[in-house]
Every structure is written in structure tokens, then in C-alpha cells.
Amino acid sequence: MPSDTRILIVDDHEDTLYALESALAPLGYQLGRATSGDEALKQVLRGQVGLLLLDVRMPGVSGLEVVRYMRRVEQTQHIPVILLTGFGADHELTTTAFALGVADLVLKPVDPWALRTKVRYLYDAHRRHLALEHEVRRLRALTGEHTETAAHPRPGLPHPDARVPTQRPMGAHAGELEKDRT
């Protein structure tokens, strides 16, 4: 994950944004903010968001609608989301949120210590996941190079002991071996 990846905090209330930024500041991560679902989607689609703290109920595009859209887009479907709600525990909301793959649903007012712990874990886990994906792609590229090399093998090298016959190249046919004997 690039070093300029940030945690995006989304809420339509300025005081809540300030409180969340204050709670997360000790972690030292870059923080971004948005005051609407539309603005959040634009920032997420531009990239560089490694975690989303998202208010559920906002005018216009709700937090759940943002998550629904993110899960349909390949580049954003694995970004962890913590939903925030000030309306108390709601079974339907909880069920819908977790069905959409939300990492957690947190009630406001937020406990700063608990929030920092969750954010640190999710953000760092997402960074490790992306680093592993990058490494897998790199290794697959290297493996692809070796596979191409195996399709066009080099001639066998003689064994240091002259009594050991030279190995035939992989894929050599029996007819080619007969030519070598004559």
C-alpha cells in the first residue's frame, strides 16, 4: 500500500469529524475527511484509501449505499469499512451491514481506545494483504519467466565425470537419441 494511503472519515457533522480525527491522531496515520456519501465515493474511487470510517445515516447517499457500491467495484471491494451509527443497536442494520462485508459497526459516541485498536488492526491487516498480493504478482511474473525458459531448454551440460552420459534435453524424442548414438 502506498505511503500516502489514508484513513477516510465520513460524517455529515463537523463536530463528529473533529472528534474522530482527534481520536485517531495518536496512531500517526494520514487521515482524510468527507461530509457526504457522494464525496466519500469520489475519494475512494480516486484511490489511496486504506480504511473507511463511515456514518450510516447521512443526507443523500447513505453509508450503506456507499458500501453497496464499493463492494461491486473490484478496486474498492476489499477496503475495510467501519460503520458508525448514533441511533443505537438495530438488528436489521447490523444484519445488512455484516452481509455487505463491513468489518465492524460502532455506536456513537465512540470509545477512542477501542476505535484506535480496531482501526490499527484493520488498517495494518489491509496493508499486509495488499503487500502479499503485490508479492504474489511479482512471484507469478518470475515464475512465468521460468516457465517460458523451461519451454526452450538449454542443451545439457556434460557431467564432470566423463563416464556419466550427457543428459538429454527435456522433451527430446527417442528418435533424437538414436541419432546421438550413431
Side-chain angles (χ1 to χ4, degrees):
M1 187 179 298
S3 60
D4 61 345
T5 302
R6 66 193 184 287
I7 296 168
L8 182 61
I9 304 169
V10 186
D11 199 294
D12 57 323
H13 292 91
E14 192 68 31
D15 56 333
T16 303
L17 287 172
Y18 179 76
L20 292 169
E21 287 170 336
S22 297
L24 297 177
L27 294 176
Y29 300 135
Q30 286 191 349
L31 303 175
R33 58 168 38 202
T35 56
S36 70
D38 285 331
E39 187 181 344
L41 278 173
K42 287 175 188 173
Q43 288 191 44
V44 167
L45 290 171
R46 279 188 215 121
Q48 309 311 331
V49 174
L51 176 70
L52 192 63
L53 284 173
L54 181 63
D55 187 25
V56 173
R57 293 192 175 106
M58 293 182 289
V61 179
S62 75
L64 288 174
E65 290 171 309
V66 170
V67 176
R68 280 188 188 100
Y69 185 82
M70 288 175 59
R71 297 308 183 230
R72 290 191 308 252
V73 177
E74 186 176 347
Q75 77 185 53
T76 62
Q77 62 188 219
H78 297 293
I79 296 173
V81 176
I82 297 176
L83 280 179
L84 305 167
T85 183
F87 292 97
D90 175 355
H91 179 70
E92 185 177 331
L93 172 62
T94 304
T95 303
T96 303
F98 288 118
L100 289 171
V102 168
D104 203 356
L105 180 64
V106 175
L107 300 177
K108 296 185 220 174
V110 176
D111 174 1
W113 291 99
L115 183 65
R116 279 193 291 270
T117 301
K118 291 174 186 191
V119 165
R120 183 183 311 118
Y121 173 79
L122 290 169
Y123 186 72
D124 290 348
H126 185 64
R127 290 174 54 173
R128 285 190 302 273
H129 174 77
L130 290 179
L132 284 172
E133 280 183 347
H134 176 74
E135 184 67 11
V136 165
R137 281 192 299 276
R138 189 185 71 76
L139 291 173
R140 283 187 178 150
L142 288 174
T143 304
E145 291 172 14
H146 292 329
T147 304
E148 290 172 14
T149 306
H152 305 289
R154 291 182 249 158
L157 297 174
H159 194 278
D161 183 349
R163 297 173 289 176
V164 175
T166 305
Q167 292 182 346
R168 68 180 179 160
M170 290 178 61
H173 297 289
E176 292 174 353
L177 292 177
E178 291 303 316
K179 274 194 303 188
D180 290 343
R181 289 187 190 161
T182 57

